[in-house]
Amino acid sequence: MPITFNIRHLEEKSLSLEGELSCAELDLANVDELIHLSQPLSYELNVEKFERGILVQGKLRLPLECECARCLKPFPHLLTFDPWACHLALEGEEKIAIINDFVDLTPSIREDILLGFPNSRCVGPNARD
Ligand SMILES: [Zn+2]
């Protein structure tokens, strides 16, 4: 399930979203050949209206399986964003897409995960530059 919420529900109160997003839905499998996703992203998010936008704050956690670019050794990397925050504009050029009152947070999360991908180098005694 993509991470979506109904913006009408935000009129009265903030929303809590919690769950997992499969790696297939994250669509990051072929972005970096040294980084493999085999487990889902887990998220705990709070969504509220904020001025003329929506503020999303919470935690993201995604275990990655990496291969070292230097020695080819596999090593795990836990990608965490705690806190993670994102502001979605409801007006202007940057405004988000709203489809049948639903907003999909998946693209914003995907983008930050991509930026947070580690350098594929294991941290070992010989890993210094
Ligand atoms: Zn290495």
Side-chain angles (χ1 to χ4, degrees), residues 56-69:
V56 186
Q57 298 179 92
K59 294 182 212 175
L60 305 174
R61 193 171 178 277
L62 177 66
L64 300 173
E65 285 164 32
C66 306
E67 286 174 65
C68 178

Side-chain angles (χ1 to χ4, degrees), residues 2-3 6 8 10 26 32 43 53 58 63 66 75-76 78 80 85 89-90 106 109-110 114 116 118 121-123 128:
I3 308 176
N6 186 322
R8 284 183 191 274
L10 284 181
L26 271 175
D32 186 328
Y43 59 89
C66 306
F75 67 100
L78 180 63
T80 52
L90 292 170
T106 313
I109 290 174
R110 182 183 188 275
L114 198 51
R121 283 188 188 161
C122 67
V123 184
R128 275 186 215 124

Side-chain angles (χ1 to χ4, degrees), residues 20-93:
E20 291 189 337
L21 185 68
S22 73
C23 19
E25 272 162 320
L26 271 175
D27 190 26
L28 291 170
N30 301 311
V31 172
D32 186 328
E33 59 180 7
L34 295 173
I35 298 176
H36 309 286
L37 287 81
S38 59
Q39 296 180 62
L41 167 90
S42 49
Y43 59 89
E44 271 174 58
L45 301 170
N46 186 68
V47 186
E48 60 189 312
K49 272 208 112 161
F50 181 73
E51 293 173 356
R52 288 173 183 168
I54 294 167
L55 183 64
V56 186
Q57 298 179 92
K59 294 182 212 175
L60 305 174
R61 193 171 178 277
L62 177 66
L64 300 173
E65 285 164 32
C66 306
E67 286 174 65
C68 178
R70 192 172 291 167
C71 68
L72 301 178
K73 208 165 74 174
F75 67 100
H77 181 89
L78 180 63
L79 190 60
T80 52
F81 295 89
D82 183 9
W84 182 71
C86 148
H87 183 263
L88 306 168
L90 292 170
E91 294 173 12
E93 278 180 34

